[in-house]
Amino acid sequence: VHFFNGIWGCIATGLFAAPRHLAAAGYGDVPGLFYGEGKLLACEIYGVLFIIGWVSLVMIPFFLGLKMLGMFRVDPLEEQVGLDISHHKGAAYDISAPNQAAVDELAEKRATAHGKSGGGDDEA
């Protein structure tokens, strides 16, 4: 959503920027394609390509590192139960109830993973 809408926002500016709006905003006389030559559209396309390149250079190593550490995806059980339930203790979209056995298994798995016992109050 953000990728394509961001690209459209840049390209739409290069197409539809009216001279009176540019003047009101304090920009020079380089209107969009429908009001002038299209220099602004070319500039917007170069900007989009630069942003794609920059984000790729910065984020691909980060994502590869997360994948190597096994932190790129959530646990399959957590994915089955749903992240809303596992992280927020409730469903955001109650289309269908999750499998209660899977929810209980995830709760037990998380409790033991954090050093808590399954039942009772433990005193240190």
Side-chain angles (χ1 to χ4, degrees):
V1 169
H2 295 95
F3 179 73
F4 291 108
N5 288 332
I7 289 173
W8 170 244
C10 291
I11 291 176
T13 301
L15 293 173
F16 302 115
R20 64 188 171 102
H21 295 136
L22 291 169
Y27 291 105
D29 188 25
V30 184
L33 181 64
F34 296 141
Y35 296 96
E37 303 168 2
K39 291 180 183 177
L40 182 59
L41 178 62
C43 183
E44 295 291 344
I45 290 172
Y46 289 138
V48 166
L49 294 175
F50 177 82
I51 291 168
I52 291 171
W54 178 262
V55 170
S56 297
L57 282 172
V58 171
M59 295 311 296
I60 287 174
F62 179 72
F63 290 143
L64 291 175
L66 285 175
K67 187 173 182 174
M68 286 190 311
L69 293 172
M71 298 170 61
F72 194 65
R73 297 214 38 163
V74 296
D75 182 76
L77 177 62
E78 195 168 3
E79 191 170 2
Q80 178 188 1
V81 169
L83 293 176
D84 291 330
I85 290 175
S86 66
H87 287 277
H88 306 295
K89 309 297 184 244
Y93 308 102
D94 195 16
I95 296 171
S96 64
N99 180 353
Q100 188 59 41
V103 173
D104 294 339
E105 181 183 348
L106 180 63
E108 181 64 30
K109 184 176 181 180
R110 289 188 130 205
T112 56
H114 296 292
K116 301 174 187 171
S117 64
D121 293 331
D122 293 337
E123 300 217 337

